[in-house]
Short mmCIF file of all heavy atoms in Angstrom, two decimals:
data_model
loop_
_atom_site.label_atom_id
_atom_site.label_comp_id
_atom_site.label_asym_id
_atom_site.label_seq_id
_atom_site.Cartn_x
_atom_site.Cartn_y
_atom_site.Cartn_z
N LEU P 4 -18.03 1.67 -21.57
CA LEU P 4 -17.68 2.34 -20.33
C LEU P 4 -16.36 1.86 -19.75
O LEU P 4 -15.65 2.62 -19.10
CB LEU P 4 -18.81 2.19 -19.32
CG LEU P 4 -20.15 2.76 -19.76
CD1 LEU P 4 -21.20 2.59 -18.68
CD2 LEU P 4 -20.02 4.22 -20.15
N LYS P 5 -16.02 0.61 -19.97
CA LYS P 5 -14.75 0.09 -19.46
C LYS P 5 -13.57 0.86 -20.06
O LYS P 5 -12.70 1.34 -19.33
CB LYS P 5 -14.63 -1.40 -19.78
CG LYS P 5 -13.36 -2.02 -19.28
CD LYS P 5 -13.30 -3.50 -19.63
CE LYS P 5 -11.97 -4.09 -19.19
NZ LYS P 5 -11.84 -5.49 -19.60
N THR P 6 -13.55 1.00 -21.35
CA THR P 6 -12.48 1.74 -22.02
C THR P 6 -12.52 3.21 -21.64
O THR P 6 -11.48 3.84 -21.40
CB THR P 6 -12.60 1.59 -23.55
OG1 THR P 6 -12.61 0.20 -23.88
CG2 THR P 6 -11.46 2.28 -24.27
N ALA P 7 -13.72 3.79 -21.56
CA ALA P 7 -13.85 5.20 -21.21
C ALA P 7 -13.29 5.47 -19.82
O ALA P 7 -12.60 6.48 -19.60
CB ALA P 7 -15.32 5.62 -21.28
N ARG P 8 -13.55 4.59 -18.86
CA ARG P 8 -13.03 4.78 -17.50
C ARG P 8 -11.51 4.66 -17.46
O ARG P 8 -10.84 5.39 -16.73
CB ARG P 8 -13.67 3.78 -16.55
CG ARG P 8 -15.10 4.12 -16.21
CD ARG P 8 -15.68 3.23 -15.13
NE ARG P 8 -17.03 3.62 -14.84
CZ ARG P 8 -18.11 2.90 -15.15
NH1 ARG P 8 -17.97 1.72 -15.76
NH2 ARG P 8 -19.32 3.33 -14.85
N ILE P 9 -10.97 3.73 -18.22
CA ILE P 9 -9.51 3.58 -18.28
C ILE P 9 -8.88 4.85 -18.85
O ILE P 9 -7.89 5.36 -18.31
CB ILE P 9 -9.13 2.34 -19.11
CG1 ILE P 9 -9.54 1.07 -18.37
CG2 ILE P 9 -7.64 2.33 -19.42
CD1 ILE P 9 -9.44 -0.19 -19.20
N LEU P 10 -9.44 5.36 -19.93
CA LEU P 10 -8.90 6.57 -20.53
C LEU P 10 -9.11 7.79 -19.63
O LEU P 10 -8.27 8.70 -19.61
CB LEU P 10 -9.53 6.81 -21.90
CG LEU P 10 -9.17 5.78 -22.97
CD1 LEU P 10 -10.00 6.02 -24.22
CD2 LEU P 10 -7.69 5.83 -23.28
N LEU P 11 -10.20 7.82 -18.89
CA LEU P 11 -10.46 8.92 -17.97
C LEU P 11 -9.37 8.98 -16.89
O LEU P 11 -8.92 10.06 -16.52
CB LEU P 11 -11.84 8.76 -17.33
CG LEU P 11 -12.24 9.83 -16.32
CD1 LEU P 11 -12.38 11.18 -17.02
CD2 LEU P 11 -13.55 9.46 -15.64
N ARG P 12 -8.93 7.83 -16.43
CA ARG P 12 -7.85 7.80 -15.42
C ARG P 12 -6.53 8.30 -16.00
O ARG P 12 -5.67 8.77 -15.26
CB ARG P 12 -7.67 6.39 -14.87
CG ARG P 12 -8.79 5.96 -13.94
CD ARG P 12 -8.44 4.73 -13.14
NE ARG P 12 -8.11 3.59 -13.98
CZ ARG P 12 -8.93 2.59 -14.27
NH1 ARG P 12 -10.16 2.60 -13.79
NH2 ARG P 12 -8.55 1.58 -15.02
N ALA P 13 -6.36 8.22 -17.31
CA ALA P 13 -5.13 8.68 -17.95
C ALA P 13 -5.10 10.20 -18.10
O ALA P 13 -4.03 10.77 -18.32
CB ALA P 13 -4.96 8.02 -19.31
N ILE P 14 -6.24 10.86 -17.97
CA ILE P 14 -6.28 12.32 -18.07
C ILE P 14 -5.70 12.90 -16.79
O ILE P 14 -6.22 12.67 -15.70
CB ILE P 14 -7.72 12.83 -18.31
CG1 ILE P 14 -8.23 12.31 -19.65
CG2 ILE P 14 -7.78 14.35 -18.25
CD1 ILE P 14 -9.68 12.66 -19.94
N GLN P 15 -4.62 13.68 -16.92
CA GLN P 15 -3.92 14.22 -15.76
C GLN P 15 -4.42 15.59 -15.33
O GLN P 15 -4.32 15.95 -14.17
CB GLN P 15 -2.42 14.29 -16.07
CG GLN P 15 -1.82 12.94 -16.35
CD GLN P 15 -0.39 13.04 -16.85
OE1 GLN P 15 0.14 14.13 -17.04
NE2 GLN P 15 0.22 11.89 -17.07
N THR P 16 -4.95 16.37 -16.25
CA THR P 16 -5.42 17.71 -15.94
C THR P 16 -6.78 17.62 -15.25
O THR P 16 -7.74 17.10 -15.81
CB THR P 16 -5.55 18.55 -17.24
OG1 THR P 16 -4.32 18.48 -17.95
CG2 THR P 16 -5.88 19.99 -16.92
N ALA P 17 -6.83 18.15 -14.02
CA ALA P 17 -8.03 18.02 -13.19
C ALA P 17 -9.24 18.71 -13.82
O ALA P 17 -10.35 18.18 -13.77
CB ALA P 17 -7.77 18.58 -11.80
N SER P 18 -9.04 19.87 -14.43
CA SER P 18 -10.18 20.59 -15.01
C SER P 18 -10.78 19.82 -16.19
O SER P 18 -12.00 19.77 -16.33
CB SER P 18 -9.75 21.99 -15.46
OG SER P 18 -8.75 21.92 -16.45
N ILE P 19 -9.94 19.22 -17.00
CA ILE P 19 -10.46 18.43 -18.13
C ILE P 19 -11.18 17.20 -17.62
O ILE P 19 -12.25 16.84 -18.11
CB ILE P 19 -9.31 18.06 -19.10
CG1 ILE P 19 -8.78 19.31 -19.78
CG2 ILE P 19 -9.80 17.05 -20.14
CD1 ILE P 19 -7.61 19.08 -20.70
N ARG P 20 -10.62 16.55 -16.60
CA ARG P 20 -11.26 15.36 -16.03
C ARG P 20 -12.64 15.72 -15.46
O ARG P 20 -13.61 14.98 -15.67
CB ARG P 20 -10.37 14.77 -14.93
CG ARG P 20 -10.90 13.43 -14.43
CD ARG P 20 -10.04 12.79 -13.35
NE ARG P 20 -8.64 12.78 -13.69
CZ ARG P 20 -7.68 13.38 -12.96
NH1 ARG P 20 -8.00 14.04 -11.87
NH2 ARG P 20 -6.42 13.30 -13.32
N GLU P 21 -12.75 16.86 -14.78
CA GLU P 21 -14.04 17.27 -14.22
C GLU P 21 -15.05 17.61 -15.31
O GLU P 21 -16.23 17.31 -15.17
CB GLU P 21 -13.86 18.45 -13.27
CG GLU P 21 -13.22 18.06 -11.95
CD GLU P 21 -13.98 16.97 -11.21
OE1 GLU P 21 -15.23 17.04 -11.13
OE2 GLU P 21 -13.31 16.04 -10.72
N GLU P 22 -14.59 18.21 -16.40
CA GLU P 22 -15.49 18.50 -17.52
C GLU P 22 -16.02 17.21 -18.14
O GLU P 22 -17.20 17.12 -18.49
CB GLU P 22 -14.76 19.33 -18.58
CG GLU P 22 -14.54 20.77 -18.19
CD GLU P 22 -13.77 21.54 -19.24
OE1 GLU P 22 -13.55 21.02 -20.34
OE2 GLU P 22 -13.40 22.69 -18.94
N VAL P 23 -15.15 16.22 -18.27
CA VAL P 23 -15.58 14.93 -18.83
C VAL P 23 -16.61 14.29 -17.91
O VAL P 23 -17.62 13.77 -18.37
CB VAL P 23 -14.36 13.99 -19.05
CG1 VAL P 23 -14.82 12.59 -19.40
CG2 VAL P 23 -13.47 14.54 -20.14
N LEU P 24 -16.35 14.33 -16.60
CA LEU P 24 -17.31 13.75 -15.66
C LEU P 24 -18.62 14.52 -15.65
O LEU P 24 -19.68 13.93 -15.41
CB LEU P 24 -16.69 13.71 -14.26
CG LEU P 24 -15.58 12.69 -14.07
CD1 LEU P 24 -14.93 12.85 -12.70
CD2 LEU P 24 -16.10 11.27 -14.24
N GLY P 25 -18.57 15.82 -15.91
CA GLY P 25 -19.79 16.61 -16.01
C GLY P 25 -20.61 16.23 -17.24
O GLY P 25 -21.83 16.19 -17.21
N GLU P 26 -19.90 15.95 -18.34
CA GLU P 26 -20.59 15.57 -19.58
C GLU P 26 -21.10 14.14 -19.54
O GLU P 26 -22.11 13.82 -20.15
CB GLU P 26 -19.63 15.71 -20.76
CG GLU P 26 -19.26 17.12 -21.11
CD GLU P 26 -18.18 17.20 -22.18
OE1 GLU P 26 -17.82 16.15 -22.75
OE2 GLU P 26 -17.70 18.31 -22.44
N HIS P 27 -20.35 13.27 -18.86
CA HIS P 27 -20.68 11.85 -18.80
C HIS P 27 -20.68 11.38 -17.34
O HIS P 27 -19.77 10.71 -16.89
CB HIS P 27 -19.68 11.03 -19.61
CG HIS P 27 -19.47 11.51 -21.00
ND1 HIS P 27 -20.41 11.33 -21.99
CD2 HIS P 27 -18.46 12.20 -21.58
CE1 HIS P 27 -19.98 11.88 -23.11
NE2 HIS P 27 -18.80 12.41 -22.89
N PRO P 28 -21.74 11.71 -16.58
CA PRO P 28 -21.77 11.35 -15.16
C PRO P 28 -21.76 9.84 -14.91
O PRO P 28 -21.43 9.40 -13.81
CB PRO P 28 -23.06 11.99 -14.65
CG PRO P 28 -23.85 12.34 -15.85
CD PRO P 28 -22.92 12.44 -17.00
N VAL P 29 -22.07 9.04 -15.91
CA VAL P 29 -22.07 7.60 -15.74
C VAL P 29 -20.65 7.07 -15.49
O VAL P 29 -20.47 5.97 -14.98
CB VAL P 29 -22.73 6.91 -16.97
CG1 VAL P 29 -21.85 7.02 -18.19
CG2 VAL P 29 -23.08 5.48 -16.68
N LEU P 30 -19.64 7.88 -15.80
CA LEU P 30 -18.25 7.46 -15.60
C LEU P 30 -17.76 7.70 -14.17
O LEU P 30 -16.66 7.29 -13.84
CB LEU P 30 -17.34 8.21 -16.59
CG LEU P 30 -17.60 7.95 -18.06
CD1 LEU P 30 -16.69 8.81 -18.91
CD2 LEU P 30 -17.41 6.48 -18.38
N ARG P 31 -18.56 8.36 -13.37
CA ARG P 31 -18.15 8.59 -11.97
C ARG P 31 -18.01 7.26 -11.23
O ARG P 31 -18.83 6.36 -11.42
CB ARG P 31 -19.16 9.47 -11.24
CG ARG P 31 -19.18 10.89 -11.76
CD ARG P 31 -19.83 11.82 -10.75
NE ARG P 31 -19.85 13.17 -11.27
CZ ARG P 31 -18.85 14.03 -11.12
NH1 ARG P 31 -17.79 13.70 -10.45
NH2 ARG P 31 -18.94 15.25 -11.63
N PRO P 32 -16.97 7.18 -10.39
CA PRO P 32 -16.77 5.91 -9.64
C PRO P 32 -17.82 5.69 -8.58
O PRO P 32 -18.51 6.52 -8.15
CB PRO P 32 -15.40 6.08 -9.01
CG PRO P 32 -14.98 7.48 -9.21
CD PRO P 32 -15.92 8.12 -10.17
#
């Protein structure tokens, strides 16, 4: 999860970031 959260912050496109958070809710802050 540490690496996943770091990479999630690197995603700039809001729609892709929201899709990732929808698939993996454990990554929500």
Side-chain angles (χ1 to χ4, degrees):
L4 300 181
K5 180 180 176 184
T6 305
R8 286 187 179 110
I9 291 170
L10 293 173
L11 179 65
R12 287 194 302 261
I14 297 175
Q15 298 171 357
T16 308
S18 61
I19 293 177
R20 188 180 312 120
E21 287 304 316
E22 287 178 8
V23 170
L24 289 173
E26 291 173 7
H27 308 287
V29 71
L30 297 177
R31 291 199 181 272

